[in-house]
Amino acid sequence: MAAPGSSLLLLFLLLAAASSAAEANPITPGFPPLQLHALRHRRSTAKSSGGRYAVSAAVVTAAAAKPFTAHYFPQELDHFTFKPNSSAVFYQKYLVNDTFWRRSSGPIFVYTGNEGDIEWFATNTGFMFDIAPKFGALLVFIEHRFYGESKPFGNDSNSSVEKLGYLTSTQALADYAILITSLKQNLSVVASPVVVFGGSYGGMLASWFRLKYPHVAIGALASSAPILQFDYITPWSSFYDAVSQDYKSESVNCFSVIKAAWDLIDERGSTDAGLLQLSKTFRACKTVKSVYSFRNWLWTAFVYTAMVDYPTPANFLMNLPAYPIKEMCKIIDGFPTGADIVDKAFAAASLYYNYTGDQTCFELEDGSDPHGLNGWGWQACTEMVMPMTRSNESMFPPFTFTYEEKSDDCFQNYGVRPRPNWITTEYGGNKIDLVLKRFGSNIIFSNGMRDPWSRGGVLKNISSSIIAIVTEKGAHHLDFRSATKDDPGWVVEQRRQEVEIIKGWIDQYNEDIMSK
């Protein structure tokens, strides 16, 4: 779960606030787009037009280069009103892999796209490709409206409130339901069972899809899905407390150095001469104009590394080694006694941005958005309002959140005010255990406790078929990554459990069909 000109997860004027409005730190679920220059992957794809169901663009990629073909579905703009422009059509991108599909009996596994390019998510969801042969599954990855190439108004999609008003989670879920239903009809596999998968914001969507469209999907695997990060359900300080605990668990000194760095940066960045000196310390490609750029650069590195503290090397957000927090703290702890605190913090954060060692300087004020994530600012200012504070125990500067200030900030930026209780009204969340044990079934909520988003997730079983799989050392949707020979046993076991549960859903569905 990015923010323009800010940090994590998108131009996100959301959650992570800073000690002043100028410092506002957007951190929301899904995938972090703070310093998006780090996420270098953006491809344009040729579109073709055609019939109602599958507008193919297989020519886009060679099978050897990517394990999927791209297609475009003519999707209606507005599923919930009957105004003249409601039936206007935009082309929604989706990816298909049928390598292992057994058309006669195989299920359809669908990834419910997050806030970004669908190819990015498909490339980082190797788990679905790994298990497809076992199930004979058709794999489908659907891009979220207003992200990637699925922009109803092209490059002008984010240009006005009138256009952005069509960017909601409910519209996205309806998109998925219509596309899945139409695809099954087009392929003449109407009876094939569908299981939806999603990670982070996509995991939230997957769980909500199962609750809202149980006739379309027989089950959902929701990984790192903070569906309880709303209202007063989860303590507001939990996200940053969790990040801080990740570092403190590796080294108290590491935690203390990072905690002390913020005030020193503010002090040194209060003059032009100080900004120049900090620019040299941070190896900036050009002189940095705002002290908040240094803070955001460090902030992004430390928060995102906590999210992706994977037990094996990975390149989801950046190229990182196994257990990158441990490696960051080794860097800090390796400095001689009396070394400068800001130098230590910079060196540790550099592991996030330059583990490969190929960066000669850093673009600290680069506001590029290579994954097309900047629609999240709108979502965070309308329905995806996840309150976050920072306690005195955190390694980040203390911060308090109020709905009033959030509302004023959003009104200033978009001319609209948030509906902070809408998500829990639409999908539930309060007393979720009491509600879902009587209503709902076939959902896996998986969380790794190294991931700060886990605190807003479902961490206990709700019923015999709504299962929580929690790993102490897991990170942000680690279970969705491709299996490797170096995976620890607990990751292997987690994935085994998920496969076994999904197999049970499909077997039960097939038994029910056969008994009719």
Side-chain angles (χ1 to χ4, degrees):
M1 305 170 206
S6 222
S7 42
L8 167 61
L9 295 116
L10 307 167
L11 157 59
F12 312 165
L13 315 156
L14 178 62
L15 315 163
S19 356
S20 73
E23 173 197 10
N25 264 305
I27 289 204
T28 63
F31 306 100
L34 256 193
Q35 308 290 340
L36 286 174
H37 59 277
L39 313 176
R40 320 164 193 263
H41 140 200
R42 177 91 169 126
R43 294 185 175 90
S44 59
T45 305
K47 296 183 181 180
S48 61
S49 59
R52 165 67 182 160
Y53 299 117
V55 183
S56 177
V59 69
V60 170
T61 55
K66 299 178 184 177
F68 43 71
T69 55
H71 306 263
Y72 296 85
F73 179 80
Q75 189 66 262
E76 288 191 347
L77 178 64
D78 185 358
H79 302 296
F80 302 108
T81 70
F82 293 89
K83 297 177 181 178
N85 66 335
S86 297
S87 57
V89 167
F90 72 96
Y91 286 91
Q92 183 169 29
K93 184 176 182 177
Y94 66 102
L95 311 175
V96 174
N97 178 296
D98 62 359
T99 304
F100 304 102
W101 186 32
R102 294 192 296 268
R103 179 186 286 262
S104 60
S105 60
I108 300 174
F109 290 168
V110 176
Y111 187 93
T112 51
N114 310 40
E115 70 286 23
D117 292 342
I118 192 58
E119 292 193 18
W120 180 31
F121 295 112
T123 301
N124 284 281
T125 310
F127 174 68
M128 291 176 65
F129 293 92
D130 290 346
I131 67 174
K134 176 181 179 64
F135 289 95
L138 176 68
L139 303 183
V140 181
F141 299 80
I142 308 176
E143 192 163 70
H144 194 299
R145 59 167 52 203
F146 280 79
Y147 293 104
E149 296 180 47
S150 302
K151 296 178 178 177
F153 305 99
N155 291 334
D156 293 329
S157 294
N158 296 342
S159 64
S160 71
V161 171
E162 287 71 26
K163 294 181 175 70
L164 283 167
Y166 296 104
L167 172 53
T168 67
S169 60
T170 51
Q171 295 280 10
L173 293 179
D175 288 341
Y176 301 153
I178 290 171
L179 194 157
I180 292 168
T181 302
S182 297
L183 184 64
K184 290 175 69 175
Q185 292 172 345
N186 188 52
L187 295 174
S188 300
V189 289
V190 175
S192 293
V194 172
V195 177
V196 290
F197 297 71
S200 199
Y201 171 51
M204 300 165 79
L205 293 171
S207 65
W208 293 336
F209 189 87
R210 169 60 183 162
L211 296 176
K212 288 290 185 179
Y213 296 94
H215 54 293
V216 179
I218 67 166
L221 171 49
S223 181
S224 300
I227 62 168
L228 305 182
Q229 196 79 46
F230 298 92
D231 293 2
Y232 296 91
I233 304 172
T234 299
W236 291 0
S237 67
S238 63
F239 183 94
Y240 284 106
D241 287 346
V243 174
S244 301
Q245 181 56 38
D246 285 349
Y247 286 85
K248 183 181 283 188
S249 69
E250 294 297 341
S251 161
V252 173
N253 177 61
C254 179
F255 164 89
S256 299
V257 165
I258 297 171
K259 185 179 180 70
W262 311 109
D263 286 344
L264 287 173
I265 290 172
D266 283 347
E267 179 183 340
R268 295 177 189 180
S270 62
T271 65
D272 289 343
L275 288 174
L276 178 60
Q277 185 56 49
L278 283 173
S279 297
K280 293 177 180 178
T281 299
F282 279 70
R283 289 171 47 195
C285 296
K286 55 187 176 182
T287 302
V288 174
K289 300 175 182 179
S290 169
V291 68
Y292 296 114
S293 296
F294 301 110
R295 294 172 62 106
N296 280 343
W297 193 83
L298 292 179
W299 201 292
T300 300
F302 296 137
V303 171
Y304 285 8
T305 300
M307 288 173 56
V308 296
D309 192 34
Y310 298 138
T312 55
N315 63 350
F316 173 45
L317 299 179
M318 294 291 211
N319 281 303
L320 290 172
Y323 297 111
I325 288 182
K326 182 185 293 292
E327 298 304 316
M328 280 186 169
C329 288
K330 283 182 181 179
I331 292 171
I332 288 176
D333 292 344
F335 272 78
T337 302
D340 183 74
I341 286 176
V342 175
D343 286 346
K344 294 178 185 180
F346 165 77
S350 294
L351 179 126
Y352 176 79
Y353 296 103
N354 195 25
Y355 177 62
T356 55
D358 58 354
Q359 301 297 307
T360 58
C361 65
F362 299 108
E363 294 284 357
L364 271 68
E365 295 181 319
D366 178 7
S368 62
D369 183 15
H371 287 293
L373 301 167
N374 63 9
W376 187 261
W378 167 263
Q379 289 191 261
C381 268
T382 50
E383 57 179 2
M384 303 299 292
V385 182
M386 291 174 271
M388 288 190 179
T389 60
R390 298 193 296 274
S391 67
N392 290 327
E393 288 68 41
S394 165
M395 70 182 194
F396 299 94
F399 173 78
T400 57
F401 173 95
T402 70
Y403 283 114
E404 292 76 14
E405 289 181 2
K406 175 67 177 178
S407 179
D408 290 344
D409 287 345
C410 290
F411 188 79
Q412 181 178 354
N413 282 283
Y414 293 103
V416 300
R417 295 192 181 276
R419 299 177 184 173
N421 306 117
W422 174 244
I423 289 295
T424 52
T425 300
E426 176 69 9
Y427 305 115
N430 288 292
K431 298 182 179 178
I432 192 171
D433 53 337
L434 297 178
V435 174
L436 290 190
K437 71 165 43 174
R438 295 175 177 81
F439 162 77
S441 63
N442 293 6
I443 303 174
I444 302 170
F445 290 102
S446 66
N447 283 282
M449 297 308 290
R450 298 290 283 183
D451 175 19
W453 288 111
S454 65
R455 302 327 192 255
V458 176
L459 302 178
K460 295 181 179 179
N461 291 350
I462 291 176
S463 69
S464 61
S465 66
I466 300 182
I467 305 298
I469 299 179
V470 180
T471 55
E472 180 183 352
K473 296 181 180 180
H476 205 52
H477 45 72
L478 167 63
D479 50 331
F480 275 17
R481 299 195 60 75
S482 297
T484 76
K485 62 180 178 57
D486 298 319
D487 286 334
W490 52 266
V491 177
V492 176
E493 173 60 17
Q494 176 184 8
R495 293 180 179 135
R496 186 200 66 76
Q497 290 181 45
E498 291 169 352
V499 168
E500 182 179 342
I501 293 169
I502 292 169
K503 182 178 182 299
W505 296 342
I506 295 171
D507 289 347
Q508 184 62 60
Y509 173 84
N510 289 331
E511 288 180 19
D512 292 344
I513 291 294
M514 293 296 293
S515 66
K516 294 297 182 183

